Amino acid sequence: MSELSALKQAQYHFYQMQGHIKDNKWYSHLYSHLAAVEGELQRQVESLEGTKVKILDNSAAGEIPETDRLYNVLEEQTNGFFPPDTSYTSLSRVVASRKYEDLLSEGVSPNSIKIVRVK
């Protein structure tokens, strides 16, 4: 099975799963965690098919484009907000969101986490 076939099959199963949870009262919460997977599958399929991946740039003149922006994920500590370690600094928006989700899954309160743009 080719990589493209495997990704398309994963998309198919993703949409099947989405159909199974659509009537769940917590659907929006469940889907919020799956949205990144859906987007990444689509990006990889488009990349392998040779279709151009579109990145919207809504930045104003003189502003840094979204694709070049960097973020730090900070956790509240006794003396302020600091990155838990160096892997939480200078991240793209998508990676910063994943790090945020990682901290939440470790039991850190959302009130104790900040995402700060550094560039």
Side-chain angles (χ1 to χ4, degrees):
M1 176 183 295
S2 73
E3 186 177 2
L4 180 59
S5 298
L7 287 168
K8 286 190 174 194
Q9 190 171 22
Q11 279 184 316
Y12 170 79
H13 289 293
F14 178 86
Y15 293 125
Q16 290 292 314
M17 180 186 56
Q18 191 176 357
H20 291 298
I21 65 171
K22 71 179 180 185
D23 295 327
N24 186 298
K25 71 178 183 176
W26 300 104
Y27 173 79
S28 62
H29 177 72
L30 291 168
Y31 183 76
S32 70
H33 296 284
L34 298 172
V37 173
E38 181 181 25
E40 183 60 21
L41 284 170
Q42 183 62 35
R43 185 195 69 76
Q44 288 185 26
V45 166
E46 288 175 354
S47 176
L48 288 172
E49 288 179 333
T51 349
K52 187 175 181 182
V53 178
K54 296 176 185 167
I55 298 174
L56 299 177
D57 184 10
N58 297 330
S59 56
E63 203 176 303
I64 298 172
E66 181 61 40
T67 54
D68 295 338
R69 294 179 187 170
L70 297 176
Y71 301 86
N72 286 348
V73 179
L74 309 175
E75 182 181 4
E76 187 173 26
Q77 298 172 10
T78 55
N79 54 348
F81 282 87
F82 297 95
D85 62 53
T86 56
S87 70
Y88 287 79
T89 59
S90 300
L91 307 169
S92 70
R93 185 176 185 170
V94 172
V95 176
S97 295
R98 287 184 192 143
K99 292 289 191 177
Y100 176 83
E101 292 295 328
D102 289 346
L103 287 172
L104 289 177
S105 68
E106 292 173 8
V108 178
S109 167
N111 295 333
S112 298
I113 306 170
K114 286 184 180 181
I115 298 178
V116 180
R117 188 171 134 199
V118 293
K119 175 184 171 194

